[in-house]
Each structure stands twice: as C-alpha cells, then as structure tokens.
Amino acid sequence: MKVLDIAILNTRAGGEEPIPLVAATDLSSFGYFQRQGVKEMLTFFSKTFTKRTQPGQRQSITHESYVVHCYVRSDGLAGAVTTDLEYPSRVAFVLLTEVLDGFTNANGTSWRDSTEPYSMMFEPLEGYLVKYQDPAAADKVTKIQKDLDDTTQILHKTIDSVLERGVKLDNLVERSDDLSRQSKMFYKQAKKTNSCCVIS
C-alpha cells in the first residue's frame, strides 16, 4: 500500500482548469529518469479528475494500477490523493479531509485569489504523505480492523491447533485401547499358562 501524491487545487480560479496550489509526491519507487514524467502525469490526473468532480462530492477513479481519490469542497478547494490499488479508499478520504482542513486553517481563504500553480505553502503536507503511507497506523478505524483481523487469524490458528491436538488425542486414545486389549490378552494368556502348571 502506497500513497504517491497528495495535491491541493483551486477549482474556482476563474479559468476552466483547476490550479494546483501545493503538492507532495513520493516517487521513490520509480527510476530517476522516470520521475519527472510520472510527476507530470500525477498533476494531469489531479487536475483532470478534480475538474470532473462536482462540488461536495468524493470519487475514486482507477487508472491501470493506480487510484486517484478526489474530493471537491463546496467552496471550491479540492484535494486529490493518488494511491496504488490496495490502499483503502476510506483512509484516502480521511486523509483528504484532514489535509484540506489543515490547509484552510493555515492559509485561511487566501487560496481563492491564487492563480499561479504551486504558489501556496503548506509545510505539513510532506508529513501527511509520510504518516499515511501505513493506513493502519494513520487511521484508528483501520488499525482496529487490522487488530480484529489479526485476532481472528490467531483464533483460527488456535482452533486449528486444538483440532490438530484432538486428532492426536484420538490417536492416543486408540492406542491406549489397543494397549488395554493387548494387556488383557497378555493377562489372560499368562493366567492360562500359570493355571496348567501349578507349583505346590
């Protein structure tokens, strides 16, 4: 699970295209010479998909092995998070809400007047990118779900172990029954042998 890009955009800048205000990317999984092209594609996806998202809506768009999660607030501030296919969409939208709220708290409404790409500052964005690489650590509900899944897995292992032990116990019980029959037969045989030769 990986977050590749978080972008904050102004969808009401007067032009038809949303303007990226600030972005953070993690392109470490790509080769050095691929990174610029990938970054341009991520910007293109963010702009294109937020443009096609209605205000107040959230949507996830899958493209090849990546998903772009978009959220456009009613005031025109938008966010886009690009992740791999395994990343939980609920966590991506929690991330978007947190990032947009933090951005608004830090910058107020000054973003509305911004018409230049990447003209705003929001230093915590890199921190969000790092924090949300592990969705279970970043999101409490996902962490609880992961803990429940682990507990369920442990319980299944325990039940399997008990069943395994049960099979082994059955084998022991069978063996003990066999031993009992053999011991009884030995006892009877010994009794017969001893009865024919009485020593007085």
Side-chain angles (χ1 to χ4, degrees), residues 50-186:
T50 54
K51 180 180 179 182
R52 288 170 171 75
T53 304
Q54 295 297 316
Q57 273 192 332
R58 301 169 192 260
Q59 66 177 347
S60 297
I61 301 100
T62 304
H63 176 72
E64 294 178 4
S65 57
Y66 299 103
V67 181
V68 181
H69 307 277
C70 299
Y71 172 43
V72 178
R73 295 191 337 186
S74 56
D75 62 0
L77 187 64
V81 173
T82 306
T83 66
D84 61 8
L85 292 172
E86 296 173 1
Y87 202 86
S89 59
R90 195 188 73 67
V91 179
F93 287 117
V94 167
L95 167 60
L96 277 173
T97 303
E98 248 183 75
V99 164
L100 294 177
D101 288 347
F103 181 79
T104 304
N105 290 339
N107 293 297
T109 58
S110 63
W111 60 268
R112 293 180 183 180
D113 301 325
S114 180
T115 56
E116 291 295 316
Y118 304 106
S119 58
M120 300 292 294
M121 294 294 292
F122 185 54
E123 290 180 19
L125 196 58
E126 290 289 336
Y128 282 111
L129 185 66
V130 171
K131 176 182 174 186
Y132 275 85
Q133 289 301 330
D134 180 10
D139 182 53
K140 291 176 185 171
V141 173
T142 305
K143 183 178 182 338
I144 291 169
Q145 182 62 47
K146 183 179 180 296
D147 291 346
L148 284 172
D149 291 344
D150 291 346
T151 304
T152 304
Q153 189 176 15
I154 290 169
L155 285 174
H156 285 298
K157 283 181 182 176
T158 304
I159 290 169
D160 288 343
S161 298
V162 167
L163 290 176
E164 247 180 56
R165 282 190 211 142
V167 170
K168 290 176 184 175
L169 286 174
D170 287 346
N171 288 339
L172 289 175
V173 168
E174 268 183 43
R175 288 180 185 164
S176 70
D177 286 345
D178 289 344
L179 287 174
S180 295
R181 279 189 228 123
Q182 286 177 354
S183 333
K184 287 178 185 176
M185 285 178 60
F186 177 77

